[in-house]
Amino acid sequence: MRTLLTVRANKVNTFYLTKAISTASWKFWVRWFFNFSGWMGSAVVVNSGLRYTETLIQIELRAALTRHAHKKYMSANNFYKTAVLRDGGLDNVDQRIVADVDAFSKEAAFLYGHSFKPILEFTLSLTEAAKELGYSRPLALFGAQIFITTVLRQMSPSLGKMVAKEQALEGGFRHTHARLIAHAEEVALLGGSDREIGILDDGLKNMVVTQRWHALQRIRKSVADNVSKFQGLLVGSIFVHVPFMVRAAVSEGERISMFRATEELMLRCGSAFTEVLLLGRNLDELAGYTYRLSQLFRVMDKGVETEKKRAADDRLLITGDDGVDAGGIRFDGVSVGAPEPGGGHRLLVKGLTMTVERGSHLLITGPNGSGKTSLLRVLAGLWAPIEGTVTTPKVADDENKDKAVMMWLPQRPYLLQGSLRDQVVYPRTALADGNLYYHAAKAKAKEEDEKIKQCLRMAGLGKFVDGGVPNVGLATRHLEWNDVLSGGERQRIGFARLFFHAPPFAILDEATSAINPDEEHSLYEHVLAQGTTVVSIAHRLELRKFHHRELQLAGDG
């Protein structure tokens, strides 16, 4: 529609205006005025609508791609494998999901809005101009244009690789800043400002040097594009001028009017044709983003397929009355190694065979670096064992499918952006955050809040819900809870979470390291009283009395 309006308006308006000026005719001027006003109103509506459509395509495409990336990223622990284990060799996954998807969507939407239009505009303009010039001259012109543009493109650098390289460096530079923010307190305490400036400036230097070189390369591309554009205008003008210069029998006013109308059509036709030829530049940039996103999805898909294969190899479960595997946790000939940059492993645990049954609490001890946490990572499925198999308790019926079977309490509990209530119920969503329109829903939410308060009291955080801290309650929100709570309070949040979910098994990895020894006993007593089987990593030997067995690791395999 926009193209048809442009071509028709250009021909009619140019003809009437030129005719009016060359003959000093008010009649033709009035026609031009009303034609221009009508076409202008239509063009405003159509162009605004097309611009909105292009923006909407960009937004929806980005939303769809990002949701798809999020689903892949959060499946099979891909977020952990790519960030920590560096599976697939991906750099800066966050950059790819946030910035690259956005840039890809912009380029794709631009191509959608600027590829079909010039092709149609070229066709319609050529059809109108051919009424005066015939088809032989314009087609010969565009054939020459294709040849010249092809030669120039062979001399130009590829933008795809440059775009991919620049995005990788941008991601690395942003990661350096994000890392500084994450470790701001440690850097400040160590007085590392000068050293960090050097690290940040090195990242900036690598990015800027590359961008300068690519800017120089883009000059070649720009020169080729402009030569192609302007030589097309020059040759096209010659093709248009000659036929009208040999028409001596036509009146001066008629010849000028016809020439101006045809010239405008050919200029638009040539401009549209050149725009089509130069779409290769946008395709090159799109190819750069496509390459990075294809890498991302390829690695994510591989992680999902690997997890599916591992799940299919799981052993059949013998279930207890609560729908949880009665066999507990089993290690059969398990060897554990820490991944190394070269792709190998440093052996930590070799040939471990043991079973942790329900109600039989296990304490794992050993020196730093002996493989205590590494063993638990294998148990969690984050690392694959070098050899052997691990069987973990699972829910085997639909009735208990939402039940937490094993819960991890790391030394540094994860605190999300949300309310105090959210910290306790995580990874669930609090009922108070749902639809409370019905009375029954309100009653359940209130009941859950009372349970959350009791869990916080058991964890030694009753001050937050009993008025001990002014203006703090379950609905209190902070942008970053890690900056508000002390180390001991953060660990107590972890225990409140454990009390709330009351899982059959709990893995405690130095979960009380920041809590006073006389207070950690109370926490363990509450955990055992609720029937949770505990596997603990701890350096405080006073905790032995809460465990039935002890596994000592030497760290030498």
Side-chain angles (χ1 to χ4, degrees), residues 90-97 99-101 104 160-172 286-299:
L90 289 179
D91 58 332
N92 308 121
V93 178
D94 57 335
Q95 168 83 7
R96 295 173 188 257
I97 295 177
D100 289 358
V101 167
F104 174 88
K161 293 181 179 179
M162 290 193 290
V163 168
K165 178 67 174 178
E166 287 177 2
Q167 288 301 110
L169 291 174
E170 286 278 1
L286 185 65
Y289 298 116
T290 302
Y291 172 73
R292 285 175 59 81
L293 292 181
S294 65
Q295 275 187 321
L296 173 68
F297 290 124
R298 193 181 307 119
V299 171

Short mmCIF file of all heavy atoms in Angstrom, two decimals, residues 90-97 99-101 104 160-172 286-299:
data_model
loop_
_atom_site.label_atom_id
_atom_site.label_comp_id
_atom_site.label_asym_id
_atom_site.label_seq_id
_atom_site.Cartn_x
_atom_site.Cartn_y
_atom_site.Cartn_z
N LEU A 90 31.06 -21.50 25.52
CA LEU A 90 30.34 -20.25 25.31
C LEU A 90 30.90 -19.15 26.21
O LEU A 90 31.20 -19.39 27.38
CB LEU A 90 28.86 -20.41 25.60
CG LEU A 90 28.03 -21.24 24.61
CD1 LEU A 90 26.59 -21.30 25.07
CD2 LEU A 90 28.12 -20.66 23.21
N ASP A 91 31.03 -17.97 25.66
CA ASP A 91 31.46 -16.82 26.45
C ASP A 91 30.27 -15.90 26.67
O ASP A 91 29.48 -15.66 25.78
CB ASP A 91 32.58 -16.05 25.73
CG ASP A 91 32.18 -15.57 24.36
OD1 ASP A 91 31.31 -16.21 23.73
OD2 ASP A 91 32.71 -14.54 23.91
N ASN A 92 30.12 -15.42 27.90
CA ASN A 92 29.11 -14.41 28.22
C ASN A 92 27.71 -14.76 27.70
O ASN A 92 27.17 -14.13 26.80
CB ASN A 92 29.53 -13.06 27.65
CG ASN A 92 30.94 -12.68 28.05
OD1 ASN A 92 31.80 -12.47 27.19
ND2 ASN A 92 31.21 -12.61 29.34
N VAL A 93 27.14 -15.78 28.28
CA VAL A 93 25.81 -16.23 27.87
C VAL A 93 24.78 -15.13 28.09
O VAL A 93 23.84 -14.96 27.29
CB VAL A 93 25.42 -17.51 28.63
CG1 VAL A 93 24.02 -17.96 28.24
CG2 VAL A 93 26.41 -18.63 28.34
N ASP A 94 24.95 -14.35 29.16
CA ASP A 94 23.99 -13.28 29.42
C ASP A 94 24.00 -12.25 28.31
O ASP A 94 22.95 -11.71 27.92
CB ASP A 94 24.30 -12.60 30.77
CG ASP A 94 25.72 -12.05 30.83
OD1 ASP A 94 26.59 -12.55 30.10
OD2 ASP A 94 25.96 -11.12 31.62
N GLN A 95 25.18 -11.97 27.74
CA GLN A 95 25.29 -11.04 26.62
C GLN A 95 24.51 -11.56 25.41
O GLN A 95 23.82 -10.81 24.72
CB GLN A 95 26.77 -10.85 26.25
CG GLN A 95 27.03 -10.14 24.92
CD GLN A 95 26.96 -8.64 25.04
OE1 GLN A 95 26.83 -8.12 26.14
NE2 GLN A 95 27.07 -7.94 23.94
N ARG A 96 24.60 -12.85 25.17
CA ARG A 96 23.92 -13.43 24.02
C ARG A 96 22.39 -13.38 24.19
O ARG A 96 21.67 -13.05 23.25
CB ARG A 96 24.37 -14.89 23.83
CG ARG A 96 25.84 -15.03 23.46
CD ARG A 96 26.28 -16.50 23.45
NE ARG A 96 27.70 -16.64 23.28
CZ ARG A 96 28.30 -16.99 22.15
NH1 ARG A 96 27.59 -17.24 21.08
NH2 ARG A 96 29.62 -17.10 22.09
N ILE A 97 21.93 -13.68 25.40
CA ILE A 97 20.49 -13.71 25.63
C ILE A 97 19.89 -12.31 25.66
O ILE A 97 18.79 -12.08 25.15
CB ILE A 97 20.17 -14.45 26.94
CG1 ILE A 97 20.58 -15.93 26.81
CG2 ILE A 97 18.69 -14.35 27.30
CD1 ILE A 97 20.37 -16.74 28.08
N ALA A 99 21.63 -8.94 24.88
CA ALA A 99 22.01 -7.97 23.83
C ALA A 99 21.92 -8.55 22.43
O ALA A 99 21.41 -7.91 21.51
CB ALA A 99 23.43 -7.46 24.10
N ASP A 100 22.41 -9.79 22.24
CA ASP A 100 22.43 -10.36 20.89
C ASP A 100 21.03 -10.65 20.38
O ASP A 100 20.73 -10.45 19.19
CB ASP A 100 23.27 -11.64 20.87
CG ASP A 100 24.75 -11.36 21.04
OD1 ASP A 100 25.11 -10.17 21.13
OD2 ASP A 100 25.55 -12.32 21.09
N VAL A 101 20.16 -11.13 21.25
CA VAL A 101 18.77 -11.39 20.82
C VAL A 101 18.10 -10.07 20.43
O VAL A 101 17.37 -10.01 19.44
CB VAL A 101 17.99 -12.09 21.94
CG1 VAL A 101 16.49 -12.08 21.63
CG2 VAL A 101 18.46 -13.53 22.10
N PHE A 104 19.59 -8.95 17.07
CA PHE A 104 19.08 -9.83 16.01
C PHE A 104 17.65 -9.44 15.65
O PHE A 104 17.29 -9.38 14.47
CB PHE A 104 19.14 -11.28 16.48
CG PHE A 104 18.51 -12.26 15.52
CD1 PHE A 104 19.25 -12.81 14.49
CD2 PHE A 104 17.18 -12.62 15.64
CE1 PHE A 104 18.67 -13.71 13.59
CE2 PHE A 104 16.59 -13.50 14.76
CZ PHE A 104 17.34 -14.05 13.73
N GLY A 160 29.78 -10.02 8.99
CA GLY A 160 29.31 -11.01 9.94
C GLY A 160 30.33 -11.36 11.01
O GLY A 160 30.04 -11.36 12.21
N LYS A 161 31.56 -11.66 10.60
CA LYS A 161 32.60 -12.02 11.56
C LYS A 161 32.96 -10.84 12.45
O LYS A 161 33.24 -11.02 13.64
CB LYS A 161 33.84 -12.51 10.81
CG LYS A 161 33.63 -13.83 10.08
CD LYS A 161 34.91 -14.28 9.39
CE LYS A 161 34.70 -15.62 8.67
NZ LYS A 161 35.92 -16.06 7.98
N MET A 162 32.95 -9.64 11.88
CA MET A 162 33.27 -8.46 12.68
C MET A 162 32.21 -8.23 13.76
O MET A 162 32.53 -7.91 14.91
CB MET A 162 33.39 -7.22 11.78
CG MET A 162 34.62 -7.22 10.89
SD MET A 162 34.95 -5.62 10.12
CE MET A 162 33.62 -5.52 8.96
N VAL A 163 30.95 -8.40 13.40
CA VAL A 163 29.86 -8.22 14.37
C VAL A 163 29.98 -9.24 15.49
O VAL A 163 29.86 -8.90 16.68
CB VAL A 163 28.49 -8.34 13.67
CG1 VAL A 163 27.38 -8.44 14.70
CG2 VAL A 163 28.25 -7.14 12.77
N ALA A 164 30.25 -10.51 15.14
CA ALA A 164 30.38 -11.55 16.16
C ALA A 164 31.54 -11.26 17.10
O ALA A 164 31.43 -11.42 18.32
CB ALA A 164 30.56 -12.91 15.49
N LYS A 165 32.67 -10.81 16.56
CA LYS A 165 33.83 -10.49 17.37
C LYS A 165 33.55 -9.32 18.30
O LYS A 165 33.90 -9.35 19.50
CB LYS A 165 35.02 -10.17 16.45
CG LYS A 165 36.30 -9.78 17.19
CD LYS A 165 36.88 -10.94 17.97
CE LYS A 165 38.22 -10.57 18.57
NZ LYS A 165 38.79 -11.68 19.40
N GLU A 166 32.93 -8.28 17.78
CA GLU A 166 32.64 -7.09 18.60
C GLU A 166 31.67 -7.44 19.73
O GLU A 166 31.84 -6.97 20.86
CB GLU A 166 32.05 -5.99 17.72
CG GLU A 166 33.07 -5.33 16.81
CD GLU A 166 32.45 -4.28 15.90
OE1 GLU A 166 31.22 -4.05 16.03
OE2 GLU A 166 33.17 -3.71 15.07
N GLN A 167 30.67 -8.25 19.45
CA GLN A 167 29.71 -8.62 20.49
C GLN A 167 30.37 -9.45 21.58
O GLN A 167 30.06 -9.32 22.76
CB GLN A 167 28.53 -9.40 19.89
CG GLN A 167 27.58 -8.54 19.06
CD GLN A 167 26.98 -7.41 19.87
OE1 GLN A 167 27.29 -6.24 19.67
NE2 GLN A 167 26.13 -7.75 20.81
N ALA A 168 31.31 -10.32 21.18
CA ALA A 168 32.03 -11.12 22.18
C ALA A 168 32.85 -10.22 23.10
O ALA A 168 32.87 -10.41 24.32
CB ALA A 168 32.93 -12.13 21.49
N LEU A 169 33.52 -9.21 22.54
CA LEU A 169 34.32 -8.29 23.36
C LEU A 169 33.43 -7.41 24.22
O LEU A 169 33.77 -7.09 25.37
CB LEU A 169 35.21 -7.44 22.45
CG LEU A 169 36.34 -8.19 21.74
CD1 LEU A 169 37.05 -7.28 20.75
CD2 LEU A 169 37.33 -8.74 22.76
N GLU A 170 32.29 -6.99 23.68
CA GLU A 170 31.35 -6.20 24.48
C GLU A 170 30.88 -7.02 25.68
O GLU A 170 30.78 -6.51 26.81
CB GLU A 170 30.13 -5.81 23.63
CG GLU A 170 30.39 -4.71 22.60
CD GLU A 170 30.33 -3.32 23.21
OE1 GLU A 170 30.11 -3.21 24.43
OE2 GLU A 170 30.52 -2.35 22.46
N GLY A 171 30.57 -8.29 25.45
CA GLY A 171 30.13 -9.15 26.53
C GLY A 171 31.21 -9.33 27.58
O GLY A 171 30.94 -9.32 28.79
N GLY A 172 32.47 -9.51 27.14
CA GLY A 172 33.57 -9.66 28.08
C GLY A 172 33.78 -8.41 28.92
O GLY A 172 34.05 -8.49 30.13
N LEU A 286 23.22 -9.38 10.27
CA LEU A 286 22.29 -10.37 10.82
C LEU A 286 22.97 -11.73 10.95
O LEU A 286 22.73 -12.47 11.91
CB LEU A 286 21.06 -10.48 9.92
CG LEU A 286 19.93 -11.39 10.42
CD1 LEU A 286 19.32 -10.83 11.70
CD2 LEU A 286 18.86 -11.55 9.34
N ALA A 287 23.85 -12.05 9.99
CA ALA A 287 24.56 -13.33 10.03
C ALA A 287 25.46 -13.42 11.26
O ALA A 287 25.61 -14.50 11.85
CB ALA A 287 25.38 -13.51 8.75
N GLY A 288 26.06 -12.28 11.65
CA GLY A 288 26.92 -12.28 12.84
C GLY A 288 26.13 -12.63 14.09
O GLY A 288 26.57 -13.46 14.90
N TYR A 289 24.97 -12.00 14.27
CA TYR A 289 24.14 -12.30 15.44
C TYR A 289 23.55 -13.71 15.34
O TYR A 289 23.42 -14.41 16.35
CB TYR A 289 23.01 -11.28 15.55
CG TYR A 289 23.49 -9.87 15.77
CD1 TYR A 289 23.25 -8.88 14.83
CD2 TYR A 289 24.20 -9.53 16.91
CE1 TYR A 289 23.69 -7.57 15.03
CE2 TYR A 289 24.65 -8.24 17.12
CZ TYR A 289 24.39 -7.27 16.17
OH TYR A 289 24.84 -5.98 16.36
N THR A 290 23.21 -14.14 14.13
CA THR A 290 22.67 -15.49 13.95
C THR A 290 23.69 -16.54 14.36
O THR A 290 23.35 -17.54 15.00
CB THR A 290 22.26 -15.70 12.48
OG1 THR A 290 21.30 -14.71 12.10
CG2 THR A 290 21.65 -17.08 12.28
N TYR A 291 24.95 -16.29 14.02
CA TYR A 291 26.01 -17.24 14.37
C TYR A 291 26.12 -17.39 15.89
O TYR A 291 26.21 -18.51 16.41
CB TYR A 291 27.34 -16.76 13.78
CG TYR A 291 28.54 -17.56 14.23
CD1 TYR A 291 28.75 -18.85 13.76
CD2 TYR A 291 29.44 -17.04 15.16
CE1 TYR A 291 29.84 -19.60 14.18
CE2 TYR A 291 30.54 -17.76 15.58
CZ TYR A 291 30.73 -19.05 15.09
OH TYR A 291 31.82 -19.77 15.52
N ARG A 292 26.10 -16.27 16.60
CA ARG A 292 26.24 -16.32 18.06
C ARG A 292 25.03 -16.98 18.72
O ARG A 292 25.17 -17.76 19.65
CB ARG A 292 26.44 -14.91 18.62
CG ARG A 292 27.84 -14.37 18.38
CD ARG A 292 27.99 -12.94 18.84
NE ARG A 292 27.70 -12.73 20.23
CZ ARG A 292 28.54 -12.97 21.24
NH1 ARG A 292 29.75 -13.45 20.98
NH2 ARG A 292 28.21 -12.72 22.49
N LEU A 293 23.83 -16.69 18.20
CA LEU A 293 22.63 -17.31 18.77
C LEU A 293 22.55 -18.79 18.43
O LEU A 293 22.10 -19.60 19.25
CB LEU A 293 21.38 -16.59 18.28
CG LEU A 293 21.19 -15.15 18.78
CD1 LEU A 293 19.90 -14.57 18.24
CD2 LEU A 293 21.19 -15.09 20.30
N SER A 294 23.00 -19.16 17.23
CA SER A 294 22.98 -20.59 16.87
C SER A 294 23.95 -21.37 17.75
O SER A 294 23.66 -22.51 18.14
CB SER A 294 23.35 -20.76 15.39
OG SER A 294 24.69 -20.36 15.14
N GLN A 295 25.09 -20.76 18.09
CA GLN A 295 26.01 -21.39 19.04
C GLN A 295 25.32 -21.61 20.38
O GLN A 295 25.42 -22.69 20.99
CB GLN A 295 27.24 -20.51 19.25
CG GLN A 295 28.36 -20.68 18.24
CD GLN A 295 29.58 -19.89 18.67
OE1 GLN A 295 29.47 -18.78 19.18
NE2 GLN A 295 30.75 -20.46 18.46
N LEU A 296 24.64 -20.59 20.85
CA LEU A 296 23.95 -20.66 22.13
C LEU A 296 22.93 -21.79 22.16
O LEU A 296 22.96 -22.65 23.05
CB LEU A 296 23.25 -19.32 22.41
CG LEU A 296 22.33 -19.26 23.63
CD1 LEU A 296 23.13 -19.38 24.92
CD2 LEU A 296 21.51 -17.97 23.63
N PHE A 297 22.04 -21.83 21.17
CA PHE A 297 20.97 -22.84 21.17
C PHE A 297 21.53 -24.24 20.92
O PHE A 297 20.99 -25.23 21.43
CB PHE A 297 19.92 -22.49 20.13
CG PHE A 297 19.09 -21.28 20.50
CD1 PHE A 297 19.00 -20.19 19.65
CD2 PHE A 297 18.42 -21.24 21.70
CE1 PHE A 297 18.25 -19.08 20.00
CE2 PHE A 297 17.66 -20.14 22.06
CZ PHE A 297 17.58 -19.05 21.20
N ARG A 298 22.62 -24.33 20.15
CA ARG A 298 23.22 -25.65 19.90
C ARG A 298 23.75 -26.24 21.20
O ARG A 298 23.54 -27.43 21.49
CB ARG A 298 24.34 -25.51 18.87
CG ARG A 298 24.81 -26.86 18.31
CD ARG A 298 25.95 -26.68 17.32
NE ARG A 298 25.59 -25.73 16.28
CZ ARG A 298 26.23 -24.58 16.05
NH1 ARG A 298 27.25 -24.23 16.82
NH2 ARG A 298 25.85 -23.79 15.07
N VAL A 299 24.44 -25.42 21.98
CA VAL A 299 24.99 -25.90 23.25
C VAL A 299 23.87 -26.24 24.23
O VAL A 299 23.91 -27.26 24.94
CB VAL A 299 25.93 -24.83 23.87
CG1 VAL A 299 26.33 -25.21 25.28
CG2 VAL A 299 27.17 -24.67 23.01
#
